[in-house]
Amino acid sequence: MTTLLVIAKEPLPGRVKTRLTPPFTPQEAARLAEAALADTLHAVAATPATRRILVLDGTPGDWLPSGFEVLPQCAGGLDERLADAFAHCAGPALLIGMDTPQVTPELLTVDFTGCDAWFGPAQDGGFWALGLAAPDPALLRGVPMSTPQTGAVQRERLLAAGLRVRDLPRLRDVDTAADARAVAALAPHGRFAARLARCTRVGSP
C-alpha cells in the first residue's frame, strides 16, 4: 500500500500565492490557498492509502482533516525539502503539492505494479506529483526547482537511475489569476471554485 504526502505552506497572507496579488489582495490569495489545500487534503483523505502525511511549513489549522500525520519541512531549498519528505517513507510513496485542487482520489490511487516511479508533469514545466516505489532522497537533491525545465530534469533523473516511469496526466498549477479561473472550471463544485466565486476582485484574462 502507498503513503501519500502533501507538501504545503500554512495559508497566511503574504506568504502564499503571492503571484495572485494583484489582482487579489493578500488576504484573498491566502483564502484561495487555504481552499486549494483543503481540496487537496480531502482528496488524499478519500484514497485507500495506508499512511497520509502533511509536510508543512507552518502550523496546522481547521482546514486539516483527521487521519494525517503532520511533519515539519526541513530547512533548505525545495529539492532538499522534497527529498526529506521522501526520507520519512519506508515503502511506496506519492508526493503532491497544494497547487492542484482539481486532483481526485482516483487520480491519486496509483499502482506500482510493473513500475518504479510515477511522474505527474505540470503545465508550467514543473511537476505536480512524484511517486517512488522505493523512496530515495538522492533522486531529488540537486534538481533545479521552479524553472521551466524542472519537470524534464526530474524525469530524466528517474530514467538515468534505471527506473521504470509511468506518467500521470499533465495538470495546471494555480499560480496566477488565469490559472485560478481555469482550475476552478475543472472542479466547479470544490472549495477552491467556491472561494474564487466569493472573492471580490478577479483579474483580467
XYZ file of all heavy atoms in Angstrom, residues 17-64:
359
model
N 0.819 32.113 -2.425
C 0.151 32.582 -3.640
C 0.379 34.070 -3.892
O -0.547 34.815 -4.255
C -1.348 32.268 -3.580
C -1.639 30.782 -3.560
C -1.158 30.145 -4.820
C -1.057 28.641 -4.707
N -0.100 28.073 -5.657
N 1.610 34.513 -3.735
C 1.912 35.931 -3.912
C 1.757 36.372 -5.364
O 1.555 37.561 -5.634
C 3.331 36.238 -3.426
O 4.268 35.373 -4.089
C 3.433 36.016 -1.919
N 1.806 35.435 -6.309
C 1.620 35.802 -7.717
C 0.152 36.081 -8.044
O -0.160 36.539 -9.132
C 2.173 34.704 -8.629
C 3.692 34.612 -8.598
C 4.197 33.441 -9.406
N 3.827 33.536 -10.810
C 4.017 32.554 -11.697
N 4.571 31.404 -11.297
N 3.670 32.704 -12.963
N -0.728 35.825 -7.087
C -2.138 36.193 -7.266
C -2.407 37.643 -6.864
O -3.527 38.143 -7.022
C -3.036 35.266 -6.438
C -3.123 33.808 -6.874
C -3.994 33.012 -5.901
C -3.672 33.694 -8.292
N -1.386 38.311 -6.318
C -1.565 39.694 -5.844
C -0.671 40.642 -6.641
O 0.554 40.572 -6.502
C -1.220 39.784 -4.351
O 0.126 39.335 -4.152
C -2.132 38.923 -3.517
N -1.262 41.566 -7.396
C -2.680 41.646 -7.744
C -3.041 40.576 -8.773
O -2.137 39.923 -9.272
C -2.786 43.071 -8.327
C -1.433 43.317 -8.957
C -0.457 42.595 -8.069
N -4.325 40.423 -9.069
C -5.475 41.280 -8.751
C -6.084 41.048 -7.375
O -6.846 41.880 -6.890
C -6.489 40.910 -9.838
C -6.201 39.470 -10.104
C -4.710 39.331 -9.996
N -5.758 39.933 -6.734
C -6.352 39.654 -5.434
C -5.545 40.311 -4.323
O -4.346 40.565 -4.467
C -6.437 38.146 -5.199
C -7.245 37.411 -6.229
C -6.622 36.646 -7.207
C -8.626 37.493 -6.232
C -7.361 35.969 -8.162
C -9.383 36.821 -7.191
C -8.741 36.061 -8.159
N -6.179 40.572 -3.202
C -5.467 41.052 -2.026
C -4.710 39.894 -1.395
O -5.014 38.715 -1.659
C -6.449 41.624 -0.994
O -7.251 40.537 -0.472
C -7.352 42.689 -1.602
N -3.713 40.177 -0.551
C -3.021 39.086 0.140
C -3.972 38.206 0.948
O -3.785 36.991 1.031
C -2.024 39.822 1.048
C -1.741 41.096 0.316
C -3.049 41.479 -0.306
N -5.011 38.801 1.525
C -5.971 38.019 2.298
C -6.768 37.085 1.388
O -7.016 35.914 1.733
C -6.922 38.954 3.057
C -6.270 39.731 4.196
C -5.380 40.875 3.719
O -5.544 41.360 2.575
N -4.457 41.309 4.561
N -7.192 37.592 0.230
C -7.922 36.747 -0.714
C -7.025 35.624 -1.238
O -7.466 34.476 -1.375
C -8.443 37.592 -1.875
C -9.613 38.490 -1.508
C -9.965 39.461 -2.621
O -9.070 39.843 -3.401
O -11.149 39.835 -2.702
N -5.772 35.954 -1.530
C -4.836 34.930 -2.012
C -4.646 33.839 -0.972
O -4.580 32.647 -1.306
C -3.504 35.577 -2.369
N -4.570 34.228 0.297
C -4.414 33.239 1.358
C -5.663 32.363 1.485
O -5.564 31.153 1.716
C -4.122 33.936 2.688
N -6.839 32.964 1.318
C -8.076 32.169 1.372
C -8.144 31.201 0.204
O -8.621 30.063 0.344
C -9.295 33.096 1.385
C -9.425 33.940 2.653
C -10.744 34.687 2.692
N -10.716 35.741 3.693
C -10.585 37.040 3.405
N -10.513 37.424 2.145
N -10.567 37.935 4.366
N -7.704 31.640 -0.964
C -7.666 30.737 -2.118
C -6.674 29.605 -1.876
O -6.942 28.447 -2.210
C -7.292 31.515 -3.374
C -8.393 32.414 -3.943
C -7.825 33.370 -4.983
C -9.516 31.570 -4.551
N -5.530 29.928 -1.290
C -4.541 28.893 -0.979
C -5.103 27.897 0.030
O -4.891 26.680 -0.099
C -3.261 29.530 -0.434
N -5.817 28.400 1.033
C -6.419 27.514 2.029
C -7.439 26.582 1.384
O -7.491 25.383 1.694
C -7.080 28.333 3.130
C -7.741 27.471 4.200
C -8.363 28.288 5.311
O -7.811 29.354 5.651
O -9.407 27.853 5.840
N -8.248 27.120 0.462
C -9.244 26.292 -0.213
C -8.579 25.241 -1.089
O -9.021 24.076 -1.135
C -10.166 27.179 -1.046
N -7.511 25.630 -1.794
C -6.782 24.665 -2.622
C -6.184 23.564 -1.762
O -6.245 22.371 -2.122
C -5.686 25.378 -3.416
N -5.618 23.945 -0.641
C -5.026 22.956 0.258
C -6.100 22.031 0.827
O -5.921 20.806 0.901
C -4.278 23.674 1.384
C -3.615 22.798 2.451
C -2.680 21.776 1.833
C -2.876 23.673 3.458
N -7.248 22.597 1.231
C -8.325 21.775 1.785
C -8.848 20.783 0.748
O -9.073 19.607 1.054
C -9.451 22.672 2.284
N -9.044 21.242 -0.491
C -9.487 20.318 -1.536
C -8.476 19.189 -1.733
O -8.853 18.020 -1.887
C -9.673 21.071 -2.866
C -11.008 21.788 -2.967
O -11.929 21.463 -2.182
O -11.139 22.668 -3.833
N -7.203 19.544 -1.751
C -6.146 18.547 -1.941
C -6.145 17.533 -0.806
O -6.088 16.314 -1.032
C -4.783 19.241 -2.036
O -4.792 20.177 -3.116
C -3.666 18.235 -2.248
N -6.209 18.010 0.424
C -6.161 17.118 1.582
C -7.385 16.204 1.631
O -7.270 15.027 1.992
C -6.059 17.938 2.868
C -4.753 18.708 3.056
C -4.852 19.638 4.267
C -3.569 17.759 3.221
N -8.556 16.717 1.272
C -9.751 15.870 1.288
C -9.702 14.820 0.181
O -10.215 13.701 0.359
C -11.007 16.735 1.196
C -11.407 17.340 2.503
N -10.829 18.492 3.000
C -12.297 16.938 3.451
C -11.363 18.773 4.181
N -12.249 17.851 4.478
N -9.083 15.150 -0.953
C -8.894 14.137 -1.989
C -7.966 13.036 -1.487
O -8.216 11.842 -1.698
C -8.333 14.773 -3.257
N -6.886 13.431 -0.818
C -5.955 12.449 -0.254
C -6.651 11.596 0.798
O -6.470 10.375 0.862
C -4.720 13.166 0.341
C -3.868 12.198 1.147
C -3.893 13.806 -0.771
N -7.465 12.234 1.627
C -8.163 11.508 2.698
C -9.097 10.442 2.150
O -9.381 9.451 2.831
C -8.934 12.483 3.580
N -9.587 10.645 0.935
C -10.547 9.707 0.342
C -9.874 8.578 -0.431
O -10.572 7.741 -1.008
C -11.503 10.462 -0.575
N -8.565 8.524 -0.446
C -7.852 7.443 -1.125
C -7.675 6.258 -0.179
O -7.794 6.399 1.041
C -6.466 7.896 -1.593
O -5.633 8.096 -0.445
C -6.552 9.175 -2.421
N -7.322 5.087 -0.721
C -7.068 3.922 0.138
C -5.654 3.852 0.686
O -5.201 2.784 1.089
C -7.352 2.749 -0.810
C -6.993 3.268 -2.152
C -7.378 4.717 -2.150
N -4.926 4.964 0.699
C -3.557 4.968 1.219
C -3.534 4.495 2.668
O -4.477 4.729 3.437
C -2.960 6.367 1.115
N -2.456 3.846 3.053
C -2.327 3.368 4.429
C -1.717 4.412 5.355
O -1.830 4.303 6.572
C -1.443 2.111 4.472
O -0.206 2.385 3.809
C -2.131 0.948 3.778
N -1.079 5.439 4.770
C -0.458 6.494 5.567
C -0.605 7.802 4.806
O -0.363 7.860 3.606
C 1.016 6.162 5.812
C 1.726 7.063 6.793
C 3.197 6.663 6.913
N 3.915 7.491 7.864
C 5.233 7.638 7.888
N 5.992 6.984 7.005
N 5.820 8.431 8.775
N -1.011 8.847 5.515
C -1.192 10.163 4.909
C -0.398 11.172 5.727
O -0.598 11.277 6.941
C -2.670 10.552 4.861
C -3.516 9.581 4.053
C -5.008 9.838 4.221
N -5.809 8.841 3.518
C -6.135 7.654 4.012
N -5.744 7.322 5.250
N -6.842 6.789 3.297
N 0.467 11.924 5.048
C 1.376 12.840 5.734
C 1.260 14.230 5.133
O 1.330 14.392 3.911
C 2.840 12.362 5.625
C 3.004 10.949 6.191
C 3.775 13.331 6.349
C 4.396 10.366 5.985
N 1.102 15.236 5.984
C 1.205 16.624 5.574
C 2.578 17.127 6.000
O 2.903 17.146 7.192
C 0.105 17.464 6.225
C 0.193 18.974 6.000
C 0.048 19.320 4.517
C -0.851 19.714 6.831
N 3.390 17.503 5.010
C 4.729 18.042 5.278
C 4.584 19.556 5.215
O 4.500 20.147 4.139
C 5.754 17.523 4.249
C 7.155 17.959 4.638
C 5.682 16.003 4.151
N 4.550 20.187 6.373
C 4.037 21.552 6.484
C 5.094 22.557 6.922
O 5.856 22.316 7.866
C 2.876 21.567 7.481
C 2.151 22.895 7.679
C 1.445 23.330 6.406
C 1.156 22.780 8.834
N 5.100 23.699 6.235
C 5.835 24.881 6.671
C 4.821 25.763 7.381
O 4.062 26.485 6.741
C 6.444 25.592 5.457
C 7.152 26.890 5.827
O 7.213 27.234 7.023
O 7.624 27.580 4.905
N 4.797 25.677 8.699
C 3.827 26.443 9.472
C 3.077 25.581 10.460
O 3.549 24.516 10.874
N 1.883 26.034 10.816
C 1.064 25.397 11.845
C -0.249 24.913 11.243
O -0.876 25.658 10.479
C 0.774 26.398 12.983
O 2.018 26.873 13.507
C -0.031 25.740 14.095
N -0.696 23.708 11.573
C -1.979 23.230 11.034
C -3.142 24.080 11.520
O -3.118 24.645 12.620
C -2.084 21.801 11.582
C -0.706 21.427 11.992
C -0.031 22.696 12.398
N -4.185 24.161 10.666
C -5.393 24.880 11.026
C -6.604 23.968 10.934
O -6.471 22.750 10.744
N -7.789 24.561 11.035
C -9.007 23.742 10.997
C -9.298 23.218 9.591
O -10.269 22.500 9.388
C -10.201 24.513 11.554
C -10.468 25.823 10.825
O -9.838 26.069 9.767
O -11.308 26.609 11.313
N -8.454 23.573 8.626
C -8.571 23.041 7.264
C -8.001 21.631 7.146
O -8.153 20.988 6.112
C -7.848 23.965 6.276
C -6.578 24.553 6.798
C -6.399 25.801 7.340
C -5.293 23.920 6.847
N -5.081 25.986 7.724
C -4.381 24.840 7.433
C -4.806 22.672 6.462
C -3.036 24.552 7.632
C -3.464 22.377 6.667
C -2.598 23.311 7.244
N -7.332 21.140 8.183
C -6.697 19.817 8.127
C -7.687 18.742 8.554
O -8.150 18.731 9.696
C -5.463 19.788 9.032
C -4.721 18.456 9.112
C -4.132 18.079 7.760
C -3.618 18.515 10.168
